[in-house]
Amino acid sequence: MIPYNAPLEEIRFVLNELSDIDRVNEIPDVAGFMEEGLRDAILAEAGRFAEDVLAPLNQLGDNQGVQWSVEGVKTPKEFGIAYRQFVDAEWNRLVLPTDIGGQGAPILLSAAVRETFVAANKSFCMCSELTTVGIEALLHAASDELKALYIPRMVSGEWSATMNLTEPQAGSDVGALRARAVPQADGTYRIFGQKIFISFGEHDLTENIVHLVLARTPNAPEGSRGVSLFLVPKFIPETNERNDVVCSGIEHKLGNHGSPTCTLVYGDDGEGAVGWLIGQENKGLQHMFVMINGSRFNVGLEGVALSERAYQQALSYARERIQGKAVDGGKESVAIIRHPDVRRMLMFMRSQTEAMRAVAFHLAAAQDLATKHPDKALRQERQAFVDLMIPVFKGWTSETAVDVTRTSILAHGGLGYITESGASQPLRDVLVCSIYEGATGIQAHDLVARKIMPDGGQTLNAWLNEVQATASYMLENADKLECRKIGNELHKSVQHAEAAVAWVIENYPLHNADVLAVSVPLLKLLGIIAGGWQMAKAAVAADALLELGQGNNSFYQSKLNSAYFYTQHILSQSYTLSHTVLNGSSMVNSLNDDVFKQ
Amino acid sequence: MIPYNAPLEEIRFVLNELSDIDRVNEIPDVAGFMEEGLRDAILAEAGRFAEDVLAPLNQLGDNQGVQWSVEGVKTPKEFGIAYRQFVDAEWNRLVLPTDIGGQGAPILLSAAVRETFVAANKSFCMCSELTTVGIEALLHAASDELKALYIPRMVSGEWSATMNLTEPQAGSDVGALRARAVPQADGTYRIFGQKIFISFGEHDLTENIVHLVLARTPNAPEGSRGVSLFLVPKFIPETNERNDVVCSGIEHKLGNHGSPTCTLVYGDDGEGAVGWLIGQENKGLQHMFVMINGSRFNVGLEGVALSERAYQQALSYARERIQGKAVDGGKESVAIIRHPDVRRMLMFMRSQTEAMRAVAFHLAAAQDLATKHPDKALRQERQAFVDLMIPVFKGWTSETAVDVTRTSILAHGGLGYITESGASQPLRDVLVCSIYEGATGIQAHDLVARKIMPDGGQTLNAWLNEVQATASYMLENADKLECRKIGNELHKSVQHAEAAVAWVIENYPLHNADVLAVSVPLLKLLGIIAGGWQMAKAAVAADALLELGQGNNSFYQSKLNSAYFYTQHILSQSYTLSHTVLNGSSMVNSLNDDVFKQ
């Protein structure tokens, strides 16, 4: 078993110093929840659950996988036991509203808890995560009858939910889907069609599964404007009859082996699966996309979590593995953590993980403020920020996590390539994060076309000004040379970003294909700066706490160290990325497709 | 089956325009071999073999793997059939000297052929590659008796060879090995010990296996100065008796499933495995490290080959997969190659693959010139260049190939994550390339400590001057704006490298740990510039050929396109990497190890 240690001191530092927690505490009902004693008790309990219950099943899930048969899909029996513990401890209710039996925790706290759960066992977490999203969908658009019938059993964890969007010909282009919904005299619908890549589409962790299915009614408009959302239960609650939805197979995948990825066939018996319309006809995509920010945030958080796990595995190996002599002399063989390049790899993993976590928690707080803060102007301002940053966060963390988890394999040497070491699982598990919930190119398109252009870059430039203010503060007020250097790099990165953004805004109206050809470098540029900004603020906070001299000085020093490393190794990529945006688009679109073949 | 198309037009362009082929043809006996008609016939035949025989077995090898039992290791039966075809066609003899029955091809031609074989089926190729290295080791140091007994059957492909270095406690630090060799009255030795990670250490493709084993004689000095090299056959030729070496198990690995990675136990029956000393006692590492440049070059070439394969898979998918509308309008759904970010991903893969290939072939030619050219001064100058560039090439291509093959997965969308698509095999197969034959950190250490410092950077700076000359030529003579821009970026990259190299040379004597902490960024910087240099030269050549107007203009235009893309998206990283070398070393070494844990 590969141990996992919930990084509680680091999580507390980010919550207290970087996450906007003071403003979150202005939200009614939240302050009590976030009172430091209670909050830390919840975090400690979550950490124990992650370490003791979920982490020991992670490699088991990877090795054993899930088993399909015509009767259904079996998860490892240990997953079933853990699921009941998870539900009994009400971890699935943490972020749900109190009026439906939830605990009403802010997203900020839930993100911190969820990081530890996903780091411990990503596959396991997907089942309850999907149920949370399903509850939100029902709360948003379902009739009172459907809500009353389904939500209580979903909140209790007895029933789970799934999202059914993808079909073989309809992936990124959801509007190309063909599943049909035929209205019946009694107000229900009959659903026909095939859905693929449905996570936890069939499994044995819960008694019933609530499928949320996108389909077309007869004569619906073409494309995404003709898509409606339906609720199709595996068992019909009133009669307990099996509905006509079957799992015809599961995928063999690179990772996430503990999570069944199902092909679901609706209406194969001929009469169709019984379904109920959720919300308005032809508004299915809008109803489902209400949850899109939350879902994409969760995927980004998976990148943070698996980066932390990969870092811990590499660190543990580097401290234990004895190999070679120290470069500064000495006759004894040393642990490889003494070798400079191994230390660089550890810092590469650690500093980027810290940066991603800080951006995650800050963005989690922004979601709380956008939806629940009493100040309307603040809500609006934060919502614009959330809308802007979600694609940046999702795209940047899922891509960065690949670099981090892959570096962990390298740090394990030959053992990194051996299955039993478990060194490759974080990489294999995280590679899907840049694909599902909209691949990186889709995020970058969303960023440019729907987040930057509509307000002419106003929200983005306001944020860059905020970053610039942090840089200026450090340049003017920091005592430490390292802090001034961090401020200087941050300042330069903002200039690089401003040039890139100005080019995008100028060129998109006439040459959108050219701009989209460099939209991923733009997204990475903004992600790296978001990380650099949080690392700079961490350095300022750590510096102040070191001055106070009352805390864990070694920890504060490590925060300064990470920030400095991040600035010089990662944030300095802003020059290149800005250069690529400004100079790298031509020739990508101008050539005939055949040239690629030559 | 996933098709593979040997990129022969591209290979011929690189050979003719970028590889120093004219000077290679000055080597006696080579000009005839490299005469264009014969050379192209060999390349075409190799391409067909790769496409028709090796590629169809690649996914089969990945899925089926190799099977261990106490009787031995079974490869897929199709591998056995292909191996006999491979040997019958004498592909295993291509680069071997004529006086032992080889064909005497230059490394330049062999590298081009081998790229296509490895791209088609990397696991399969490892068996014969190891035998080639084994033959070289025997030629270099074995007694005439051993040579006469073993080399003919190895050349014929009836017997294969293995390299036995690693033990559980001795990986990067080979000198820590403990296998023992006890001298016998008859001049033989008895070998005892365990070796791990031995590729093709046991298999059923050949009648006999010739293990080259590093071990210690009694009272040998500690460390690497007490290591000797032994020949230990699986079957003793004179008696056909089974020697006391057994494969106690094989590894489950992330990739390379068609290649058995064995644990070999010597002397478990008590009397020891019979072995013969190769070369001088205690000189085993020197004898083996004669082949180190060749072996590391071959691993780097694997990075090129698998990048090409991954690119082809992504390109094929991008041309076939219909999804979404074109961003520049139109109502019909289009193939995803029409989407700007998919095109960017294809160019990202393609341009780096082309750059790596050009560096590979240029470096292959340099190896031919260093060993066989009649001009002694040229030989010495090329040998210094080879010694300098081998760690750069091996480290840079094996790291870059991870980015390229991972991008191919992303370009496949959801299908990229599904095992049956085969999209992940190039990534899984190539991840070992940055680990074996010296991990990237080991290459970077070699580069700084043994290649740059001993001559005070003279060889490196001479090469940078050559790169600068190409940049100046383009700035002064190129008609096309794109070519001048390429020259300008290349010029800037040389300045960035010069600053980094000067810092390294100044600081290494007093602060070696600091320099080693940024040695990998330095290695990547030099690799990216080597690629940029070749791409710039390709642009010059393509531009001239376009002016001539007699060839495949679409191909030449694609070369210009790739060069421009590489310059703006990849070579522009030189700023960041140089910045990291100059500013990123402090704090990596200065802190207590415990800080990493905080």
Side-chain angles (χ1 to χ4, degrees), chain A residues 561-576:
Chain A
N561 187 40
S562 280
Y564 186 77
F565 184 95
Y566 183 93
T567 302
Q568 306 299 350
H569 287 246
I570 309 296
L571 185 61
S572 55
Q573 294 172 23
S574 67
Y575 169 90
T576 300

Side-chain angles (χ1 to χ4, degrees), chain A residues 327-566:
Chain A
V327 291
D328 52 0
K331 290 204 160 184
E332 292 302 305
S333 292
V334 296
I336 62 171
I337 194 174
R338 297 301 321 152
H339 299 321
D341 185 60
V342 173
R343 297 171 83 83
R344 181 195 60 82
M345 287 193 278
L346 292 171
M347 290 304 298
F348 177 85
M349 290 182 260
R350 174 199 179 89
S351 67
Q352 291 189 92
T353 304
E354 289 179 10
M356 291 190 286
R357 176 184 294 113
V359 173
F361 290 7
H362 181 258
L363 187 52
Q367 293 173 74
D368 287 319
L369 297 173
T371 48
K372 296 182 189 163
H373 195 277
D375 178 346
K376 185 181 173 193
L378 179 65
R379 284 203 306 275
Q380 288 176 337
E381 186 270 331
R382 287 290 83 187
Q383 188 62 52
F385 176 76
V386 168
D387 290 341
L388 171 73
M389 288 304 286
I390 284 288
V392 172
F393 174 69
K394 195 275 187 186
W396 168 62
T397 56
S398 62
E399 296 282 333
T400 302
V402 173
D403 297 337
V404 171
T405 55
R406 169 265 186 282
T407 300
S408 179
I409 294 177
L410 185 58
H412 281 80
L415 205 64
Y417 205 58
I418 305 301
T419 307
E420 286 80 358
S421 74
S424 76
Q425 191 182 349
L427 172 64
R428 290 186 294 98
D429 283 355
V430 93
L431 271 165
V432 77
C433 293
S434 50
I435 297 173
Y436 64 14
E437 293 294 338
T440 309
I442 301 287
Q443 304 300 324
H445 187 285
D446 180 59
L447 170 66
V448 171
R450 285 186 287 273
K451 305 303 170 60
I452 295 178
M453 293 311 301
D455 76 353
Q458 198 183 321
T459 305
L460 175 51
N461 284 320
W463 171 64
L464 287 173
N465 287 341
E466 205 179 341
V467 178
Q468 178 55 51
T470 300
S472 299
Y473 175 86
M474 293 185 84
L475 282 167
E476 289 158 20
N477 298 296
D479 287 338
K480 284 205 173 57
L481 178 61
E482 285 81 12
C483 285
R484 289 203 302 279
K485 284 185 174 179
I486 292 170
N488 189 43
E489 283 303 310
L490 191 62
H491 170 69
K492 282 196 287 180
S493 75
V494 171
Q495 293 182 309
H496 295 145
E498 284 170 346
V501 170
W503 181 89
V504 164
I505 290 172
E506 184 185 336
N507 283 276
Y508 190 79
L510 286 175
H511 309 290
N512 67 343
D514 281 355
V515 174
L516 292 172
V518 290
S519 55
V520 167
L522 175 76
L523 181 154
K524 288 186 181 171
L525 172 62
L526 298 181
I528 282 171
I529 292 175
W533 178 45
Q534 292 295 334
M535 293 303 265
K537 294 204 299 178
V540 170
D543 196 28
L545 288 160
L546 275 173
E547 288 294 314
L548 267 179
Q550 292 171 345
N552 182 343
N553 283 356
S554 168
F555 174 77
Y556 300 141
Q557 185 59 50
S558 79
K559 296 302 297 181
L560 268 176
N561 187 40
S562 280
Y564 186 77
F565 184 95
Y566 183 93

Side-chain angles (χ1 to χ4, degrees), chain B residues 265-335:
Chain B
V265 178
Y266 291 86
D268 203 39
D269 280 354
E271 296 190 1
V274 182
W276 285 264
L277 181 67
I278 297 177
Q280 286 180 264
E281 201 172 322
N282 295 334
K283 299 283 185 197
L285 270 184
Q286 288 97 310
H287 295 326
M288 203 160 246
F289 277 27
V290 168
M291 283 81 63
I292 201 165
N293 275 346
S295 295
R296 290 180 170 176
F297 176 76
N298 283 334
V299 174
L301 194 60
E302 291 174 347
V304 182
L306 291 179
S307 294
E308 172 69 30
R309 189 77 193 268
Y311 167 68
Q312 289 193 13
Q313 291 180 216
L315 176 61
S316 166
Y317 184 75
R319 297 172 75 89
E320 286 165 15
R321 170 70 172 169
I322 307 293
Q323 192 77 178
K325 314 286 187 286
V327 291
D328 50 3
K331 289 203 157 183
E332 292 301 304
S333 292
V334 296

Side-chain angles (χ1 to χ4, degrees), chain A residues 137-446:
Chain A
L138 295 187
L139 284 177
H140 164 69
S143 68
D144 288 342
E145 291 77 7
L146 288 176
K147 284 183 195 166
L149 189 56
Y150 286 89
I151 286 180
R153 311 292 291 273
M154 295 165 80
V155 171
S156 71
E158 291 163 284
W159 298 355
S160 66
T162 73
M163 303 291 127
N164 287 237
L165 289 79
T166 302
E167 300 177 8
Q169 80 294 343
S172 298
D173 184 8
V174 183
L177 66 84
R178 295 187 197 136
R180 294 180 299 122
V182 182
Q184 307 293 306
D186 65 355
T188 65
Y189 290 75
R190 291 291 176 141
I191 312 293
F192 300 87
Q194 189 196 45
K195 295 288 180 177
I196 62 170
F197 297 165
I198 310 304
S199 295
F200 279 93
E202 170 59 29
H203 63 89
D204 56 359
L205 296 179
T206 59
E207 294 167 16
N208 199 0
I209 303 174
V210 181
H211 302 295
L212 301 185
V213 185
L214 291 179
R216 296 183 177 286
T217 50
N219 308 314
E222 279 189 14
S224 54
R225 289 169 306 137
V227 170
S228 305
L229 180 61
F230 297 90
L231 185 160
V232 185
K234 177 179 169 184
F235 292 100
I236 295 166
E238 292 90 342
T239 61
N240 211 27
E241 259 177 58
R242 187 74 163 78
N243 207 346
D244 185 13
V245 46
V246 295
C247 172
S248 64
I250 57 174
E251 306 289 352
H252 305 106
K253 307 190 300 289
L254 182 55
N256 281 340
H257 294 165
S259 160
T261 302
C262 302
T263 298
L264 294 183
V265 179
Y266 290 87
D268 204 37
D269 280 352
E271 296 190 3
V274 182
W276 285 263
L277 181 68
I278 298 177
Q280 286 180 263
E281 201 172 322
N282 296 332
K283 299 283 184 197
L285 271 182
Q286 288 96 309
H287 294 326
M288 202 161 246
F289 278 26
V290 168
M291 284 80 66
I292 203 167
N293 275 347
S295 295
R296 289 180 171 177
F297 175 77
N298 283 335
V299 173
L301 194 62
E302 290 174 348
V304 181
L306 291 179
S307 295
E308 172 69 29
R309 189 77 195 267
Y311 167 68
Q312 289 192 13
Q313 292 180 217
L315 176 63
S316 166
Y317 184 75
R319 298 173 74 90
E320 285 165 15
R321 170 70 172 167
I322 306 293
Q323 193 74 178
K325 313 287 187 285
V327 291
D328 52 0
K331 290 204 160 184
E332 292 302 305
S333 292
V334 296
I336 62 171
I337 194 174
R338 297 301 321 152
H339 299 321
D341 185 60
V342 173
R343 297 171 83 83
R344 181 195 60 82
M345 287 193 278
L346 292 171
M347 290 304 298
F348 177 85
M349 290 182 260
R350 174 199 179 89
S351 67
Q352 291 189 92
T353 304
E354 289 179 10
M356 291 190 286
R357 176 184 294 113
V359 173
F361 290 7
H362 181 258
L363 187 52
Q367 293 173 74
D368 287 319
L369 297 173
T371 48
K372 296 182 189 163
H373 195 277
D375 178 346
K376 185 181 173 193
L378 179 65
R379 284 203 306 275
Q380 288 176 337
E381 186 270 331
R382 287 290 83 187
Q383 188 62 52
F385 176 76
V386 168
D387 290 341
L388 171 73
M389 288 304 286
I390 284 288
V392 172
F393 174 69
K394 195 275 187 186
W396 168 62
T397 56
S398 62
E399 296 282 333
T400 302
V402 173
D403 297 337
V404 171
T405 55
R406 169 265 186 282
T407 300
S408 179
I409 294 177
L410 185 58
H412 281 80
L415 205 64
Y417 205 58
I418 305 301
T419 307
E420 286 80 358
S421 74
S424 76
Q425 191 182 349
L427 172 64
R428 290 186 294 98
D429 283 355
V430 93
L431 271 165
V432 77
C433 293
S434 50
I435 297 173
Y436 64 14
E437 293 294 338
T440 309
I442 301 287
Q443 304 300 324
H445 187 285
D446 180 59

Side-chain angles (χ1 to χ4, degrees), chain B residues 301-587:
Chain B
L301 194 60
E302 291 174 347
V304 182
L306 291 179
S307 294
E308 172 69 30
R309 189 77 193 268
Y311 167 68
Q312 289 193 13
Q313 291 180 216
L315 176 61
S316 166
Y317 184 75
R319 297 172 75 89
E320 286 165 15
R321 170 70 172 169
I322 307 293
Q323 192 77 178
K325 314 286 187 286
V327 291
D328 50 3
K331 289 203 157 183
E332 292 301 304
S333 292
V334 296
I336 61 171
I337 195 174
R338 297 302 321 152
H339 298 321
D341 185 60
V342 173
R343 296 170 86 80
R344 180 195 60 80
M345 288 194 276
L346 291 171
M347 290 304 299
F348 176 86
M349 290 184 258
R350 174 198 179 89
S351 67
Q352 291 188 92
T353 303
E354 288 180 10
M356 291 191 285
R357 176 184 295 112
V359 173
F361 290 7
H362 181 259
L363 188 53
Q367 291 173 75
D368 287 319
L369 298 172
T371 49
K372 296 181 188 162
H373 195 276
D375 178 347
K376 186 182 172 190
L378 179 64
R379 285 204 306 276
Q380 288 175 339
E381 186 270 328
R382 289 289 82 186
Q383 188 62 53
F385 176 75
V386 168
D387 290 342
L388 171 72
M389 288 305 286
I390 284 287
V392 172
F393 175 69
K394 195 275 187 186
W396 168 62
T397 57
S398 63
E399 297 281 334
T400 302
V402 173
D403 297 336
V404 171
T405 55
R406 168 265 187 282
T407 300
S408 179
I409 294 177
L410 185 57
H412 280 79
L415 205 65
Y417 205 59
I418 305 301
T419 307
E420 287 79 359
S421 75
S424 76
Q425 192 182 350
L427 172 65
R428 289 186 293 99
D429 282 356
V430 93
L431 272 164
V432 77
C433 293
S434 50
I435 297 173
Y436 63 14
E437 293 293 339
T440 308
I442 301 288
Q443 304 300 324
H445 187 284
D446 179 61
L447 171 66
V448 171
R450 285 186 288 274
K451 306 302 169 59
I452 296 178
M453 293 311 300
D455 75 354
Q458 198 182 320
T459 304
L460 175 52
N461 283 319
W463 171 65
L464 287 173
N465 287 339
E466 207 179 336
V467 177
Q468 178 55 52
T470 301
S472 300
Y473 175 86
M474 294 183 83
L475 282 168
E476 288 156 20
N477 297 295
D479 288 336
K480 285 203 172 62
L481 178 62
E482 284 80 12
C483 285
R484 289 203 302 279
K485 284 186 175 176
I486 292 169
N488 188 45
E489 282 303 309
L490 191 61
H491 170 69
K492 282 197 286 180
S493 75
V494 172
Q495 293 182 309
H496 294 146
E498 284 171 347
V501 171
W503 181 89
V504 165
I505 291 172
E506 184 186 335
N507 283 276
Y508 191 80
L510 285 176
H511 310 288
N512 66 343
D514 281 354
V515 174
L516 291 172
V518 289
S519 56
V520 167
L522 175 75
L523 180 154
K524 288 185 179 171
L525 171 63
L526 298 179
I528 281 171
I529 292 175
W533 179 45
Q534 292 295 333
M535 293 303 264
K537 295 203 300 177
V540 171
D543 195 28
L545 288 161
L546 274 173
E547 289 292 315
L548 268 179
Q550 294 171 346
N552 182 344
N553 284 354
S554 166
F555 174 77
Y556 299 142
Q557 185 58 50
S558 80
K559 295 303 295 182
L560 268 175
N561 186 41
S562 281
Y564 186 76
F565 183 96
Y566 183 93
T567 302
Q568 306 300 351
H569 286 247
I570 309 297
L571 185 60
S572 53
Q573 294 171 22
S574 67
Y575 169 90
T576 301
L577 290 164
S578 177
H579 176 94
T580 299
V581 171
L582 296 173
N583 299 280
S585 65
S586 71
M587 292 206 174

Side-chain angles (χ1 to χ4, degrees), chain A residues 64-67 73-77 79-80 200 203-205 258 260:
Chain A
Q64 192 168 319
V66 291
Q67 309 301 325
V73 172
K74 281 198 192 309
T75 59
K77 70 174 193 306
F79 272 41
F200 279 93
H203 63 89
D204 56 359
L205 296 179

